[in-house]
Amino acid sequence: MESIRNIIVLTGAGISAESGIDTFRDAGGLWEQHRVEDVATPEGFARDPQLVQRFYDARREAVQQVDPNPAHDALALLDQRWEGELLIVTQNVDDLHERAGASRVLHMHGELLSALCARCETRHKWSESLLGQPACPGCGEKALRPDVVWFGEMPYQMDRIYAALRRADLFVSIGTSGAVYPAAGFVRDAREMGAKTLELNLERSEGSYWFEESRQGRASKLVPEWVAEMLG
Ligand SMILES: [Zn+2]
């Protein structure tokens, strides 16, 4: 892996699953017994805000009771030691990358431990319930919602992601099926711009075809192995 300086890593549900975090894809369109359209769309929130706030309150509480696993630890080590550019783009809304010690992390689908004000559009670190309609620390309005990107909403910071893809010498996808756009297109964008591409996933994915190299296995095993190769 000589000549590699700038790395972009995409992580998905597969890396958090080993810490015990479930996602809706595990259960055929249901997420903790709820239909995705009821709890993960703007329409669902408009229809029944209390149900949605209760749902994310439970997720927010659950995420604070699990720990990073060796895959998160290995990426944090890479972040601390890698002297070139590195951006860990995660589709996950947990904070396990940060708690493992990584800092170059971008949450393209938002964060459970953050609240977004629908009125003044400011974000606030949030570890408590949103069900009781607490006031926004920015504007005082009772307009806080989970700071997560729902279906039908634009993922965050796409400009920064594409800028990193353009500069990348290596694109690595970890624990994601390659089925959901725009993330599913990153591998093709990276290749077009000349980057090497590597997939680490539990099984071959819909996107495997696009990668130069695809390794199958648990993230907690594959990621530490790959990071050890990179750090030589
Ligand atoms: Zn506000």
Side-chain angles (χ1 to χ4, degrees):
M1 293 263 179
E2 282 168 36
S3 82
I4 300 228
R5 174 153 185 88
N6 300 335
I7 304 173
I8 181 164
V9 176
L10 173 69
T11 68
I15 194 167
S16 292
E18 288 188 53
S19 289
I21 295 180
D22 289 335
T23 64
F24 67 91
R25 288 184 193 84
D26 298 334
L30 291 180
W31 191 0
E32 300 284 340
Q33 282 70 58
H34 290 281
R35 297 189 313 159
V36 165
E37 51 269 46
D38 289 338
V39 296
T41 62
E43 295 77 13
F45 186 54
R47 210 159 40 229
D48 193 345
Q50 298 227 338
L51 169 81
V52 175
Q53 295 287 26
R54 242 194 317 272
F55 178 81
Y56 287 95
D57 277 3
R59 307 280 76 70
R60 194 176 303 111
E61 201 175 309
V63 81
Q64 295 178 78
Q65 320 219 339
V66 300
D67 296 310
N69 64 61
H72 297 104
D73 293 339
L75 285 177
L77 181 70
L78 183 70
D79 183 25
Q80 285 151 17
R81 301 250 178 102
W82 191 254
E83 289 176 359
E85 284 184 27
L86 171 73
L87 184 63
I88 300 169
V89 176
T90 186
Q91 298 172 293
N92 300 331
V93 293
D94 60 63
D95 64 338
L96 295 177
H97 285 304
E98 288 90 343
R99 269 201 276 148
S103 57
R104 290 182 274 183
V105 181
L106 185 162
H107 284 268
M108 66 179 290
H109 290 163
E111 300 176 64
L112 280 171
L113 294 170
S114 176
L116 172 65
C117 179
R119 187 64 53 88
C120 71
E121 296 184 349
T122 57
R123 305 193 143 76
H124 305 278
K125 284 199 176 302
W126 209 269
S127 55
E128 308 290 317
S129 169
L130 286 175
L131 186 60
Q133 289 190 297
C136 167
C139 70
E141 292 287 330
K142 296 182 172 185
L144 294 174
R145 55 162 276 184
D147 188 11
V148 296
V149 175
W150 287 326
F151 288 90
E153 297 181 321
M154 270 295 282
Y156 295 155
Q157 302 194 59
M158 293 301 291
D159 289 351
R160 201 176 142 212
I161 295 171
Y162 283 114
L165 281 167
R166 275 194 293 278
R167 286 195 301 273
D169 303 307
L170 174 65
F171 170 74
V172 185
S173 172
I174 302 170
T176 176
S177 66
V180 180
Y181 282 85
F186 292 167
V187 59
R188 271 172 274 180
D189 297 327
R191 281 188 78 155
E192 276 175 24
M193 293 182 263
K196 294 184 190 322
T197 54
L198 169 66
E199 176 185 54
L200 309 177
N201 202 35
L202 196 55
E203 53 203 13
R204 277 191 71 80
S205 73
E206 286 182 44
S208 296
Y209 170 81
W210 298 99
F211 288 85
E212 284 168 319
E213 187 185 352
S214 181
R215 303 179 189 172
Q216 277 86 52
R218 296 169 71 88
S220 58
K221 176 168 182 289
L222 294 184
V223 179
E225 286 172 0
W226 169 68
V227 168
E229 287 169 33
M230 293 307 296
L231 294 177

